[in-house]
Amino acid sequence: MARSFKDTKTDRGFLDGQLLIAMPGMQDTRFARTVVYICAHSADGAMGITINKPASEITFRDLLVQLDILPEGPAIKLPECAGRMKVHRGGPVETTRGFVLHSADYFSESSTLPIDDDVCLTATLEILKAIANGRGPEHALLALGYAGWAPGQLENEIQANGWLFCPASAEIIFDPNLDAKYERALASLGVDPARLASDAGHA
């Protein structure tokens, strides 16, 4: 029996707060070896943030300067946590828009979406200002753009063996070692990446 993608007890999409892990045979090269955190899933479609692809052409400081949060030049020193932040490629949709996945110790009534007990999503300049001033969440991931799916599209891709999925953990989401996230996500399912690659395409 096919597993329902709707949790009727909580009225949440079954994939809310889950990690999607691209299979080796993923046809869309934009998502090769990606790990995507699903922020919202319903009959209207799905939205998530890719958590393991850096936007190497821009730094967090550069972005703050572009948004007029920081002045140009090295005069203002960022807090250590902000200085370590990397900008991620969140997905191919709205790639100039910023999204911050973060720990639940930061919350704005008007703009923060709680996804589970540990992870929230905020997409305003205020959270970037808070991070730059050392008043932001303990853990945060900034992404430009997001991944989006039309109604039924993600379910079809999963059933066609395009994705695996597993419960998310804050340790994987906010791991600063982006290269390790793909293997860590697979390992959480007990999957050996080498074995998965060799089995790809086989029934």
Side-chain angles (χ1 to χ4, degrees):
M1 180 176 173
R3 193 170 188 180
S4 170
F5 284 88
K6 192 71 176 176
D7 183 340
T8 55
K9 291 183 180 179
T10 62
D11 201 34
R12 297 176 72 235
F14 174 70
L15 293 172
D16 284 6
Q18 299 271 316
L19 292 179
L20 286 182
I21 310 163
M23 290 285 281
M26 168 63 67
Q27 296 298 308
D28 190 335
T29 56
R30 298 172 299 176
F31 291 106
R33 288 181 60 85
T34 58
V35 181
V36 181
Y37 179 72
I38 296 297
C39 302
H41 171 240
S42 71
D44 297 323
M47 175 268 184
I49 303 292
T50 300
I51 63 170
N52 67 327
K53 297 295 181 181
S56 55
E57 72 280 1
I58 188 169
T59 67
F60 184 53
R61 174 181 282 277
D62 291 340
L63 187 65
L64 294 178
V65 170
Q66 288 183 15
L67 295 172
D68 293 326
I69 295 172
L70 281 185
E72 288 194 54
I76 294 181
K77 186 175 180 180
L78 288 172
E80 184 179 353
C81 60
R84 293 195 307 265
M85 277 194 69
K86 297 177 181 176
V87 182
H88 296 66
R89 293 184 180 278
V93 184
E94 293 193 57
T95 55
T96 60
R97 186 177 176 192
F99 299 85
V100 180
L101 285 175
H102 57 89
S103 49
D105 51 335
Y106 176 95
F107 190 86
S108 169
E109 288 288 346
S110 60
S111 58
T112 297
L113 170 69
I115 301 168
D116 62 27
D117 291 340
D118 300 316
V119 182
C120 300
L121 176 71
T122 304
T124 63
L125 287 179
E126 294 309 312
I127 190 171
L128 298 182
K129 292 176 181 177
I131 293 170
N133 293 327
R135 297 181 290 102
E138 181 179 359
H139 301 292
L141 180 158
L142 170 64
L144 296 178
Y146 66 93
W149 290 267
Q153 182 183 359
L154 181 54
E155 293 88 334
N156 290 338
E157 291 180 10
I158 291 172
Q159 289 164 1
N161 295 320
W163 301 94
L164 294 172
F165 59 90
C166 66
S169 71
E171 289 78 13
I172 293 177
I173 294 169
F174 301 118
D175 186 348
N177 184 354
L178 303 192
D179 293 336
K181 288 184 179 182
Y182 187 75
E183 284 75 15
R184 286 192 66 187
L186 288 174
S188 73
L189 286 170
V191 174
D192 179 349
R195 179 66 182 271
L196 184 66
S198 65
D199 288 347
H202 297 281

